[in-house]
Amino acid sequence: MSQSHSIPRRTFMKAAGAGAAVLTAGCLGAPRADAGAQAQTTTEAADGGLDPAKSVDLDRIAADPTDVPDPVDWTEPRHHEIELETTERVAEIEPGVTFDYMTFNDRVPGPMVRVRRGDTVTLRLTSDEGNSLPHNIDFHAVYGPGGGADDTTIAPGESAEIQFKATYPGVFIYHCAVPNMDHHISAGMFGAILVEPEDGLPEVDRELYFGQHELYTTGDTGEKGHHAFDMDAMAAEEPTYVCLNGEAYAFTGDGYGPVTVQKGERVRIFHSVGGPNLMSSWHGIGNVWETFYRDGDLVSDPDRYVETAPVAPGTVAAAEIDTPVPGPIKLVDHALSRVARKGMLGVIQVEGEEEPEIFNPDP
């Protein structure tokens, strides 16, 4: 199984502001009419109330969706040593719009952990010494106080270590769980741990890993400058952005580009919803979840041919799709204002020859 397809570095949007990418990606329709008006220059944003955009610590915050560990190929319990680092970094939500993220290993979502049921994991969590806040980690795959959070709470520069046995199978979220956990998760501190059943998962040609979450900021969607975190907006559950892998429209032609697959490949997608508040109505435009593992359940009989699936915050869903025709598959939250106005869109581009017997664009 190949997982080495790279995504080109992001190019700046021709028309600034979240929503601009929707039209160029050929999604549901035109972006909102005021997107251009909100896309001010950094100087204008500063004059209007926002601080100027900050210098970024990272060129990108969005994790590469193709960065998935290889499937389990062992049949006896193993011991894994895993290291994760909590970091606080400035990066762009979209060009000209900066934000103070919190991450595991400098990416949103944090790296996928992959083990087999019965394996033992020794986890070492380290907090970057430049951090300003305490952090920890709660694995939904762990029997133990706080899913490990109680014993991994650390201050900047500190480390903690726990060991756990992966007792039950499934794909589960992990996240920071300090008292202001909603802020930390919103700012990017979530990921997924996959505990494969003893007999493994069905073979597929490719696997992809995405994470959806909300950003609550003091600016308007698309407004240039530095966006501080807005606790009141989070309490009211009124996000400025709804992101896929931490950024607005990251995996479109105006971002890092679509993720490419070849026609005929069977693709498994893991969709981790950090939240902290909104349920995802997960849908692939131009396709269907041929096999859908609801709520991360990998051992019950899966659902079949699901059009739109609810994925609750704090949950990882998995789905398998077939790709019989070329063209874009648009990954969206079917609460569509989040797509058209707040950034929640990614594209899988299927490459190959036309199949007019299945779909004919010009009969």
Side-chain angles (χ1 to χ4, degrees):
M1 179 188 303
S2 174
Q3 297 184 22
S4 62
H5 292 250
S6 61
I7 298 172
R9 185 176 177 180
R10 185 175 208 166
T11 56
F12 277 26
M13 295 182 181
K14 295 178 181 178
V22 181
L23 186 59
T24 57
C27 190
L28 303 173
R32 60 180 183 173
D34 62 345
Q38 290 190 358
Q40 307 162 20
T41 65
T42 299
T43 303
E44 289 170 338
D47 292 343
L50 286 183
D51 290 335
K54 291 184 179 180
S55 297
V56 297
D57 300 316
L58 302 169
D59 288 340
R60 63 181 282 176
I61 202 76
D64 183 341
T66 68
D67 189 8
V68 181
D70 290 336
V72 165
D73 62 357
W74 56 93
T75 58
E76 297 295 330
R78 285 188 177 182
H79 179 250
H80 307 266
E81 294 188 357
I82 294 170
E83 295 187 358
L84 293 174
E85 183 181 32
T86 68
T87 62
E88 298 168 14
R89 306 293 194 217
V90 177
E92 288 186 321
I93 306 170
E94 58 176 319
V97 180
T98 57
F99 180 75
D100 296 316
Y101 289 88
M102 305 182 206
T103 83
F104 293 102
N105 288 29
D106 284 349
R107 289 290 184 265
V108 180
M112 178 181 282
V113 177
R114 190 169 198 161
V115 299
R116 179 182 179 271
R117 186 182 190 186
D119 287 356
T120 298
V121 175
T122 298
L123 171 76
R124 182 175 179 81
L125 184 69
T126 300
S127 180
D128 183 85
E129 62 182 10
N131 289 345
S132 61
L133 297 170
H135 299 291
N136 61 20
I137 192 165
D138 169 4
F139 280 99
H140 286 197
V142 169
Y143 281 128
D150 290 7
D151 295 300
T152 58
T153 302
I154 49 178
E158 293 182 343
S159 296
E161 191 170 278
I162 60 171
Q163 188 173 98
F164 63 90
K165 187 173 183 177
T167 306
Y168 43 91
V171 57
F172 307 96
I173 205 166
Y174 65 78
H175 60 85
C176 187
V178 296
N180 283 335
M181 66 181 74
D182 48 357
H183 175 198
H184 289 227
I185 295 168
S186 173
M189 295 195 78
F190 69 99
I193 175 171
L194 171 58
V195 182
E196 290 202 27
E198 291 95 327
D199 294 334
L201 295 175
E203 185 176 351
V204 294
D205 298 296
R206 194 179 312 282
E207 293 180 315
L208 303 172
Y209 167 46
F210 293 94
Q212 177 178 334
H213 67 120
E214 310 108 52
L215 292 178
Y216 301 88
T217 81
T218 53
D220 292 327
T221 312
E223 184 179 0
K224 299 287 187 173
H226 184 74
H227 286 226
F229 195 81
D230 190 330
M231 289 285 190
D232 291 336
M234 181 175 63
E237 302 184 10
E238 296 177 349
T240 314
Y241 290 93
V242 182
C243 296
L244 195 63
N245 290 32
E247 301 183 31
Y249 306 118
F251 304 108
T252 70
D254 287 314
Y256 304 111
V259 180
T260 59
V261 303
Q262 298 303 309
K263 186 188 71 174
E265 288 188 317
R266 187 166 174 85
V267 182
R268 181 180 294 126
I269 307 171
F270 299 99
H271 187 64
S272 175
V273 177
N277 296 317
L278 302 183
M279 177 176 287
S280 174
S281 297
W282 191 37
H283 175 69
I285 298 175
N287 209 286
V288 67
W289 307 132
E290 193 276 343
T291 302
F292 181 70
Y293 302 93
R294 189 174 300 277
D295 302 323
D297 178 358
L298 301 177
V299 295
S300 302
D301 290 340
D303 295 334
R304 302 294 304 278
Y305 301 104
V306 176
E307 56 174 339
T308 300
V311 187
T315 302
V316 186
E320 293 161 10
I321 63 173
D322 294 319
T323 58
V325 298
I329 301 168
K330 296 166 186 175
L331 303 178
V332 302
D333 181 336
H334 217 289
L336 292 174
S337 292
R338 301 172 190 173
V339 178
R341 306 175 191 279
K342 294 185 181 291
M344 180 51 216
L345 169 69
V347 179
I348 297 174
Q349 184 68 33
V350 180
E351 298 184 340
E353 296 294 326
E354 297 287 344
E355 293 288 345
E357 291 187 2
I358 300 175
F359 178 75
N360 187 349
D362 188 23

